[in-house]
Amino acid sequence: MEELLDPALGQVRVFLMHDDNKLRKLKYNLGHPRLLTFGGAYSHHIRAVARAGRRHGIETIGVIRGEEHLPLNPTLACAAACGMTLTYLDRASYRLKHTPEVRARLREQWGDVEILPEGGSNAAAVRGCAELPPEIGVDYDVVCCPVGTGGTLAGIAAGLPPGRRALGFAVLKGAGFLTGEVARLQREAYGRTWDNWSVNLDYHFGGYARSTPALDRFAAEHAVEGIYVAKMLYGVLDLARRGAFAPGTRVVAVVTGQPSTFVAACGAPTGFDSGEPR
């Protein structure tokens, strides 16, 4: 784990924990031989499911928002190379992907499948992400992470020891619903909620997959991806510089989607990683 050095942080210390949260979210979701899930054309989740399917001999089906465009972009080309079957839903149907009617059509088309929500956030994913805090190798007060669908934050908060708290940074515009989503995910996973977390809505930079020149420069300077991690890290540093953290606070910023250790497999809310509204 590396410490981020910036004179503007003053007495606040920020440590970067590189961790593949997509694998954590899949860890307890890989018990069925056929897995169907959803995502946008650049979805990290789609790629992660496809890779997990190849690794564990699971048939995977990716339902992609919108129309097919050839040649496939690198994300979908990687998924296809891993053996994932790609199919497409028009945008109107995709917005209703969580409804019984759409799911019934998908089961009629694809047969006996386990359906994962977009982004992979469900009760099993929360339990996987709750295993992150015990692996933090430094003393800390706050754990920060980007938030798209809420599963990672819900799990991290559930796994924190007493006296620590979690702060999520929404990557979507108009993401006030995430507070309810995180609480609901915790209830589904554990039958209770925790009060040691919150969601910051101020660093979405225009919405999912949106950016600004300032954010692009920041992402390049810190060598992090721009959809999730750059927004979270920008928010952490900005809040620290503005005095939102007490002097001496030790912050762990989770750099998601970038593995540190391999997470082996063991054996529904609507997701939002495509930027589509509910």
Side-chain angles (χ1 to χ4, degrees):
M1 189 177 302
E2 61 182 303
E3 182 171 2
L4 184 63
L5 301 177
D6 188 326
L9 293 176
Q11 297 181 52
V12 176
R13 300 183 68 182
V14 177
F15 300 88
L16 303 181
M17 179 180 182
H18 294 259
D19 189 86
D20 196 335
N21 69 316
K22 295 300 184 185
L23 287 181
R24 290 190 187 275
K25 292 167 81 171
L26 288 173
K27 179 176 180 179
Y28 298 113
N29 271 305
L30 297 180
H32 196 282
R34 304 184 76 219
L35 201 58
L36 180 147
T37 194
F38 307 88
Y42 294 90
S43 169
H44 298 320
H45 171 66
I46 286 289
R47 183 166 51 189
V49 170
R51 287 175 169 170
R54 180 178 63 179
R55 184 181 301 120
H56 299 289
I58 297 171
E59 182 182 353
T60 58
I61 301 153
V63 181
I64 310 303
R65 175 177 58 94
E67 305 298 324
E68 181 181 32
H69 295 283
L70 297 175
L72 296 175
N73 68 41
T75 296
L76 297 184
C78 174
C82 289
M84 175 176 273
T85 300
L86 300 178
T87 186
Y88 297 82
L89 271 183
D90 64 87
R91 292 172 185 269
S93 298
Y94 193 89
R95 294 188 184 99
L96 301 174
K97 62 188 175 297
H98 59 290
T99 62
E101 293 78 12
V102 171
R103 292 197 168 206
R105 286 210 319 264
L106 290 171
R107 291 188 188 281
E108 182 178 352
Q109 179 179 2
W110 298 104
D112 183 20
V113 293
E114 178 75 14
I115 297 179
L116 284 186
E118 182 182 26
S121 289
N122 58 14
V126 172
R127 293 193 293 271
C129 291
E131 297 175 354
L132 184 150
E135 298 177 14
I136 296 175
V138 298
D139 189 23
Y140 65 93
D141 303 292
V142 183
V143 179
C144 296
C145 68
V147 181
T149 55
T152 300
L153 177 61
I156 288 175
L160 287 177
R164 274 67 166 193
R165 60 190 177 95
L167 174 60
F169 289 83
V171 302
L172 310 174
K173 185 177 181 179
F177 65 87
L178 282 171
T179 297
E181 287 291 304
V182 173
R184 184 165 70 86
L185 285 165
Q186 289 186 334
R187 284 193 298 270
E188 288 185 356
Y190 298 105
R192 57 161 292 191
T193 61
W194 281 256
D195 61 2
N196 60 354
W197 59 271
S198 59
V199 180
N200 184 292
L201 305 177
D202 297 333
Y203 296 95
H204 55 74
F205 289 85
Y208 182 81
R210 301 288 180 87
S211 188
T212 65
L215 184 65
D216 291 340
R217 289 192 298 270
F218 181 88
E221 177 185 353
H222 293 280
V224 294
E225 64 85 27
I227 295 177
Y228 293 92
V229 177
K231 294 179 179 182
M232 178 267 302
L233 194 56
Y234 190 104
V236 169
L237 295 183
D238 190 50
L239 290 178
R241 290 166 183 153
R242 292 163 54 185
F245 299 114
T249 298
R250 297 167 65 93
V251 178
V252 171
V254 181
V255 180
T256 56
Q258 301 184 34
S260 55
T261 56
F262 174 72
V263 181
C266 299
T270 305
F272 299 91
D273 76 346
S274 66
E276 282 292 325
R278 188 194 293 259

